Structures are given as C-alpha cells and as structure tokens.
Amino acid sequence: MLQAGLHNLRQASVRITEVSPRDGLQHESEFVPTLRKISLINALSRTGVAEIEASSFVSPAAIPQLADSDEVLRAIDRIPGVTYSALVPNERGLERARAAGVDKIAVFTAASNSFTRHNIKATVQESLVRFRPIVAAAKRDGLAVRAYLSTVVFCPYEGRIAPAQVRDVMERLLDLAVDDISLGETIGKASPTDIRRLLDTVLPHVEPARLSLHFHDTYGMAVANALTAWWDYGITAFDASAGGLGGCPYAPGASGNVATEDLVFALKASGANVPVDELLVAACAQQLGDAVRHPLNSRLSQLHHREKPQPAWRE
C-alpha cells in the first residue's frame, strides 16, 4: 500500500520554483541592470518553471542589488500558469509587493535561533510574531503565502539540528495558515541519510504537496538529496537557481543553490515528470554568468557551452 501511494505521488508533475532573480542575485556585489533582470525573468518564464521568485521587498539599503524590485515586478511579462512571488520582511514590504502585483509573498525564519539572529536580528519566536500580521494581511488580500524554514539539517553556528526542532517550527508556521513551506538545507552538508531522517519526522505532520525542498550544493550532495526526497518520499516541489547562482552569506563556506538545469536533468533521467526545458534554463544561466561577471557552477551549462545556444533574452 505504501509503495502504491509513493508511486502515485511520483506521477505528479515536479514543480520547480526558480529563485535566481532573488536568492541568486541578492548578494552579488556588482549591480545587475534592471532591464537585464526583467529580461532574465521573462526568459525564465518560458522555460516551464511553475514559480519565479522575482525579487525581495526589503530596504534598498539592506540589499542594494534588489533596490529596483518595484520596477522589475511592474515591467515583467506575466505568463499564464507561472506564479510570480517575492520575499517580504515586514508590513511595508507587503504594501510594496501588493502594489507591484505579486501573486505570492514569502516570509523567512529558521530552525536555529543563532541563524535567525545573524540573518534577521530576531529569535525564531520573534520572527514568527513579526510576520504573523504579514501573513494575515496577505491572506485577506487573496495572496498566497510561502514560508522559508532554513537550517533544517545543519546550522553554521549550532551544528546539527534535530529533526524534531524543525517539525516544531513547521507546525507553528502551518498554524499561521501559510500555503506552503520551503525547507532549506542551508549549508549544503546534508546527505540522503540526513534527508530521510528529516522527512521521516516532518511528513506525518504535513501534506507532502505543501512542502518544497531547497538544497545548496556546497558538498555536491544537492541532486542526490533531491532524488532521495522524490523517489523515497514522493516530494515533487523543489527550489533551484539557474546556473547554481546564490549562496548564503550567513553560512560561511556555503556555495550556491542547486542548479535548476542540473536538477531537472537528473529528475527526468530518473523517470520524473518535469515540465521544464533544461536547455532553455542552461541558456539563461550562461547569460546570467555574463551579467554577474563570474562563471557559474552548473554542469549542464558547462557541457553545452560550446554548442552556443540561442540567446535566452534580448537586450
């Protein structure tokens, strides 16, 4: 019976949330011009991804790279079937996001108090209190709400995190009526065994369809962890970043997110139904590397570099 249930879950289309425009770009030191960001999102919209995290409505002083979030969200082409979301840290950010026409907002916490103190200057409890009115207001406005829950296996300051600790914060987020939760493996150190231990603990308390997994590839384990979650547990939603762009400045040594094109290729090769064109994503990634002026880490982009794919966006 269990295997039959897993088989049914695996038949569902895999949902990819593309995070390069926000999580990928936010800590790049060289400002990427607004028109290039708009063109990137427009190109990603045509790759088959289900959702694009387009920007963040934080203070421009905090993240200068995303100071143009209002302009970007207003100017992009909206493709039917694609959800356009943005990170919102406070009620002022929610007002800006609503005015810019986002479909969905995201709020952020972690399973580790040390990590939230470094990242958002609050404890986990304080972060939940802080965004309770944000979630309530967004839901009243008809906006979907995602919650990011980071450090779900390891914390750069506290070490290994107990799965029960993650479960407890997750349940409090569900009590706030968020629509889905992204579990973030922040420092990229987890193995498939760690992911099994985590999912064995949290899945009895949440519908699998409400979870997305967000892997970093610091130790080269991200694709293996994603395949484990899909095959062993029927998880069909993943966050990924074109070219593997991104990382966590509050997690020393943590490299980029799992590359969208590499993850899509691996899932398809394993039999998953993924309605994303990995070669179009690879084309986006190659030009994204040009925009940030440093090479990206995607295997697939490197493999197809000599094939000179058609430009993914127009200047």
Side-chain angles (χ1 to χ4, degrees):
M1 193 72 174
L2 177 61
Q3 286 303 313
L6 278 175
H7 175 77
N8 291 335
L9 287 171
R10 292 191 208 110
Q11 299 311 299
S13 292
V14 171
R15 177 183 174 87
I16 299 294
T17 296
E18 174 58 53
V19 301
S20 60
R22 195 281 297 181
D23 193 27
L25 287 177
Q26 67 178 352
H27 297 295
E28 289 293 322
S29 58
E30 183 164 339
F31 186 77
V32 175
T34 301
L35 288 178
R36 295 205 90 177
K37 292 172 183 164
I38 293 167
S39 296
L40 169 64
I41 295 169
N42 288 345
L44 289 168
S45 294
R46 294 169 171 82
T47 62
V49 297
E51 182 174 335
I52 298 174
E53 191 181 49
S55 197
S56 176
F57 287 90
V58 298
S59 165
I63 304 182
Q65 181 66 255
L66 303 180
D68 55 1
S69 56
D70 304 80
E71 185 177 355
V72 168
L73 263 297
R74 287 190 174 99
I76 57 174
D77 297 334
R78 305 296 179 106
I79 303 300
V82 179
T83 297
Y84 297 91
S85 63
L87 190 69
V88 169
N90 50 40
E91 291 177 90
R92 170 58 182 152
L94 175 60
E95 291 175 9
R96 291 173 57 202
R98 185 192 299 116
V102 300
D103 303 314
K104 183 177 184 177
I105 67 160
V107 293
F108 178 91
T109 190
S112 156
N113 279 313
S114 299
F115 188 78
T116 55
R117 286 194 185 100
H118 279 84
N119 195 350
I120 56 176
K121 307 297 188 293
T123 64
V124 172
Q125 168 62 20
E126 289 167 344
S127 72
L128 295 170
V129 171
R130 181 184 296 176
F131 61 64
R132 180 184 294 274
I134 302 171
V135 174
K139 300 295 285 186
R140 283 196 302 269
D141 291 340
L143 296 175
V145 180
R146 153 180 278 211
Y148 280 106
L149 175 49
S150 293
T151 62
V152 298
V153 180
F154 290 100
C155 169
Y157 310 104
E158 296 182 13
R160 185 177 289 277
I161 298 296
Q165 196 170 327
V166 179
R167 178 202 62 212
D168 292 346
V169 179
M170 181 194 74
E171 289 187 314
R172 297 179 69 186
L173 290 169
L174 293 171
D175 288 342
L176 293 179
V178 302
D179 295 282
D180 60 276
I181 297 176
S182 173
L183 300 180
E185 206 289 274
T186 306
I187 65 173
K189 190 177 180 179
S191 70
T193 298
D194 296 313
I195 300 308
R196 291 187 184 99
R197 187 180 298 118
L198 172 68
L199 293 176
D200 283 342
T201 301
V202 303
L203 279 177
H205 305 273
V206 63
E207 299 170 29
R210 297 182 70 181
L211 286 185
S212 184
L213 297 185
H214 186 123
F215 293 118
H216 282 209
D217 204 30
T218 314
Y219 290 81
M221 300 295 285
V223 168
N225 289 336
L227 291 177
T228 297
W230 172 71
W231 183 259
D232 289 358
Y233 296 89
I235 300 296
T236 54
F238 299 94
D239 301 350
S241 176
L245 186 69
C248 182
Y250 305 101
S255 61
N257 296 293
V258 64
T260 307
E261 57 271 40
D262 293 347
L263 177 60
V264 169
F265 178 87
L267 284 165
K268 284 184 176 180
S270 302
N273 175 17
V274 192
V276 177
D277 187 327
E278 64 272 26
L279 296 184
L280 288 180
V281 178
C284 290
Q286 288 180 28
Q287 293 170 81
L288 188 53
D290 293 339
V292 298
R293 300 182 187 276
H294 63 77
L296 302 181
N297 297 320
S298 159
R299 274 71 168 179
L300 203 64
S301 292
Q302 294 172 18
L303 179 64
H304 290 275
H305 181 70
R306 287 171 291 183
E307 297 182 11
K308 300 185 183 301
Q310 292 297 310
W313 68 64
R314 298 179 179 87
E315 296 296 338

